[in-house]
Amino acid sequence: MTTTAKPDAVGVARTRIEGRDKVTGAARYASEIPFTELAHGWLVLSTIARGRIRAIDDAAVRALPGVLTVLHHGNAPRIKDDVIGALGRPDPIVEVFQHDRVPHAGWPVALVVAGTSEQAREAAEALVVTYDEEPHDVSFDADKEGAYVPQDAETVKGDVEAELAASTVVLDAAYTTPEQHHSAMEPHAVTVRWDGGRLEVFDSNQGSKWVADDLANLFSLDLSAVRVRSEHVGGAFGSKGLRSHHVAAVMAATELQRPVRIALTRRQVFAITGYRSPTAQRVRLGADADGRLRAFAHENRSMTSTLREFVEGSAGFGRTMYDSVAHHSVDRVVPADVGTPTWMRAPGEAPGSFAVESAMDELAEKLGMDPIALRVRNEPTAGPISGLPFSSRNLLACFEEGARRFGWADRDPRPRVRREGNRLIGTGVAACTFPSGAAPSTASVTAEPDGTFTVRITAADVGTGARTALTVLAADALDTAPERVHVRIADSDFGAAWVAGGSMGTRSWGWAVMAAARDLREQLTLRGTEIPAAGVTVTTNTAELIAQLAQKERYAFGAQFAEVAVDVTTGEVRVTRLLGVFAAGRIVNPLTARSQLVGGMTWGLSMALHEEAVRDETFGSHVGADFAGYHFAANADVPVIEADWVPDEDPDDPVGIKGVGEIGIVGTAAAIANAVWHATGSRQRHLPIRPDRVLLAEADRAGHDA
């Protein structure tokens, strides 16, 4: 068989393959797929923050119109409580209806299933649950007792205290970030049915095989007995793994022997699908007069639940960024009566970069140095802690190109010198980085008799354009046109594959697809015959190939530049310019890559100025757990954002992709906070930078000047 000569595939801007279906409504999401005899479930969440269920009066609810069943700890099936999946132990909230304990507000205590969603909701709201309440604690601050250091959460090199004492200039500052939520456009939803003795799950998730295997293990089923599909996902950002609604839906579908759908409300999403923990961070830097770092110390404290330890590893950010004689970084966690935090876009790096990059700016001010020059002075030649060589590290080129485009050389470094009416104008900069890993994945590529190719891989396209990128990579490896390649994803039957997370998805899947495609080309060359009706298929797993990556440190890098206008009468901060320049390896599709970078930077702006989840300490639940009460950046808040990249090739990397899904958010908040200092002369060390905080800083300045 001969393939059709292709135009260039990789590096050419291409619209999403499924884009037309999405904008016309033809693409169906998890809560939109039609089923015969579909029943609807509605979760009932606890209204107390800690205690036990005394009673659930379900008799009256069962008699309501359309109600099919009510599940709770008194009648639900038992599931395993010791499951360890591909990404570790599932969030303990999946162990629903197994006991009468309530460990935090919003804990699922019952599921009402009815013929329509309206009937289910009405019945769920009528269900009477009584509790025996216990004292609870949902507070978090830098000095709260009970904090401890998790395993492998501390790194030490040299004597930080001695180097601080020997430093010419020392900075010691505290920074905080609030609890934040994923807020994906599509709320979590799942539909479950039994078909021929097999459990079929139609879901919105970040890894269908991951969810399928965890469900199989929880319900003591053979792995082959569960199939999970997640064709289209309207955003995830770390929150869409196995959750309580999956388990509850399986229980109900098993009892009723009919399809059951559970679609969470926005308030329920806030309560039971994870979040980014608040952080309290302390950064201490010591430097010689020329800006050379002698000491780098970063202490981070975050909140975890009493159910399971989760670490927001913010202290890890500096372990890759800056060289210093001595280094000490440590993450501590403090348990509270709250739901378990989880991964959220750029976990650790997003809040960690705010503290470190703000501190570097403050140190530059103390030294009288340009902030970029300080970073250049402390650029490492190898991993500052590991000593391993970098696969590639083109951060300085990002600063050079970004400074040129942003006009950094014309910047007056003095704060509070540019004014336009009531608005003070300032600019700021920050560095960013994110790991570039890969995980074993399985891909199959089939040569079809009609001259096309079919790729099958359990990838998840959560809005990143992964489906399109994989099509391009397959076409390149097959030496054919992308239009002749059909990529099927998000079906657990396609085998094990990494999830859409850690900026490793397209990199891991792409490697598997490329390897399978190249093997198929070799087979087709050897065959020299027509393709049989069943096609010719090659399946490849990259587990053995990935071992070679451990010999180097692999990261993407970037430089963020921000300009702000601060209204000193209202305290409002407006970002007027935002530029990010990145060294992110091989860019497969410039169109969707830029979209990811701009999206991440938008989130960084939102993190800097808006996002802040607040808990009512009396009741333990969130205040304003919806899009009215939890504000994030809308179109009117966002200027035209520029995102671009510099060449960043690694000849030793067989795939070359570094991932761009998360690095865009890293450093953005710090660049904006640094710009606010340049505008006003006051440091904002606590996010978000609300108007009241700006006005308070202005009042303090006025009082000090008086």
Side-chain angles (χ1 to χ4, degrees), residues 442-446 454-458 486 488 494-495 512-513 516-517 520 537-540:
T442 299
S444 297
V445 182
T446 301
T454 302
V455 176
R456 295 175 177 84
I457 185 166
T458 313
H486 306 291
R488 297 181 57 192
F494 296 161
V513 168
L520 177 61
T537 299
V538 169
T539 300
T540 300

Side-chain angles (χ1 to χ4, degrees), residues 23 59 83 89 197 202 206 246 257 265 284 287 379 390 420 452 454 487 531 583 588 630 657 666 689 694:
V23 299
V83 170
R89 182 187 172 196
F202 300 84
Q206 294 176 242
H246 295 96
Q257 288 298 301
T265 67
R284 294 182 296 160
E379 177 74 355
F390 288 100
E420 296 177 1
T452 64
T454 302
V487 174
I531 303 299
V588 178
Y630 181 81
I657 300 168
V666 182
I689 306 173
V694 174

